[in-house]
Amino acid sequence: MTAASEPATRLRNQPQQARSRARLEKVLAAADDLLASEGAESVTTTKVAAEAGVSIGSLYHYLPDRDAILHALALRYLTGFEVQMAQYVARADNLTWDDFVDVVIDGYADAYRLQPGFRALWFGRHLSEKTWAADRDHKVRMAESLRLLLVGLGVEDNDRLPAICRTAHLTADALIQEAFRADPSGDPALLDECKHVLRAYLDTVGPHTKKAIR
């Protein structure tokens, strides 16, 4: 999961100096603010440069158009989710089988609440095929992190566990997104049902039922 520690923005040019990285972060923060407050249509190179207080030329050096800006933002959000999952894996010793589903789902629900820009982008119609491809790769990495978390909680690893983790993650991802699609606070009933579904499914592979996944 170390690769998730920095956003993989797929830029035209990667900033090498600390000052350039800080400028790029300022640009992405400005784009995120615009996305959250005015929607994806507002995220133009001219407007983002003005909001960030940088020149158009400086912006074009890294992000040549709106699609590039939105793609970089999408990867920034996805990286944040991966880092968050890596933190749960690192905390496995402090979690229990009975509470880890609540901890993980509540944590990601909070992340959705705190990122209106992510919601505006993901629930709109501005994701490119390149971004959808990145999201598919992201889901694979998230499922792998879930596998590491389950192993850390005492589940026996075997050939079937990766598919179980992928199924669990895809299910949770779809339900969490649906909970926030129309409600920025998250539909509490749907989030609770998401927890029930995951508990029921993962209990079949829990540490107390290791033989069930052979």
Side-chain angles (χ1 to χ4, degrees):
M1 291 300 295
T2 55
S5 60
E6 293 186 10
T9 48
R10 310 289 200 281
L11 301 173
R12 170 187 284 179
N13 298 290
Q14 289 292 340
Q16 301 300 318
Q17 298 181 342
R19 181 180 298 178
S20 297
R21 290 193 295 270
R23 185 182 301 115
L24 176 60
E25 180 58 31
K26 188 176 181 181
V27 166
L28 291 177
D32 181 54
D33 288 343
L34 284 170
L35 188 59
S37 61
E38 302 180 30
E41 294 80 3
S42 69
V43 182
T44 65
T45 53
T46 301
K47 200 162 187 178
V48 169
E51 290 290 321
V54 302
S55 69
I56 284 288
S58 179
L59 176 65
Y60 283 166
H61 185 65
Y62 300 110
L63 301 163
D65 53 35
R66 185 178 73 168
D67 284 348
I69 295 171
L70 293 178
H71 184 64
L73 277 178
L75 292 176
R76 190 172 181 247
Y77 299 135
L78 297 180
T79 296
F81 289 132
E82 291 176 26
V83 169
Q84 187 172 348
M85 193 64 179
Q87 291 169 348
Y88 293 133
V89 174
R91 290 173 49 200
D93 289 344
N94 298 319
L95 298 173
T96 70
W97 188 257
D98 291 333
D99 69 13
F100 90 95
V101 168
D102 285 352
V103 170
V104 172
I105 299 302
D106 288 344
Y108 281 105
D110 285 341
Y112 268 66
R113 292 184 187 104
L114 293 171
Q115 297 187 95
F118 169 77
R119 299 196 309 269
L121 181 58
W122 235 254
F123 299 152
R125 298 182 179 181
H126 299 276
L127 295 181
S128 66
E129 179 51 42
K130 182 168 66 171
T131 301
W132 283 123
D135 183 51
R136 290 190 290 271
D137 291 341
H138 159 76
K139 286 179 168 62
V140 171
R141 291 191 293 271
M142 290 289 281
E144 169 60 13
S145 289
L146 178 58
R147 184 190 68 80
L148 294 175
L149 176 57
L150 294 185
V151 171
L153 289 167
V155 172
E156 185 179 21
D157 202 359
N158 70 7
D159 292 342
R160 189 182 161 209
L161 191 58
I164 290 170
C165 292
R166 186 150 169 74
T167 300
H169 173 259
L170 290 172
T171 300
D173 185 63
L175 288 172
I176 293 173
Q177 286 202 27
E178 194 61 31
F180 282 90
R181 193 170 298 278
D183 184 351
S185 297
D187 181 336
L190 199 52
L191 291 171
D192 282 344
E193 291 307 313
C194 178
K195 294 176 184 178
H196 290 314
V197 168
L198 288 186
R199 287 194 200 98
Y201 180 53
L202 293 177
D203 271 349
T204 66
V205 302
H208 54 288
T209 54
K210 289 180 181 178
K211 293 182 180 179
I213 64 171
R214 290 190 178 280

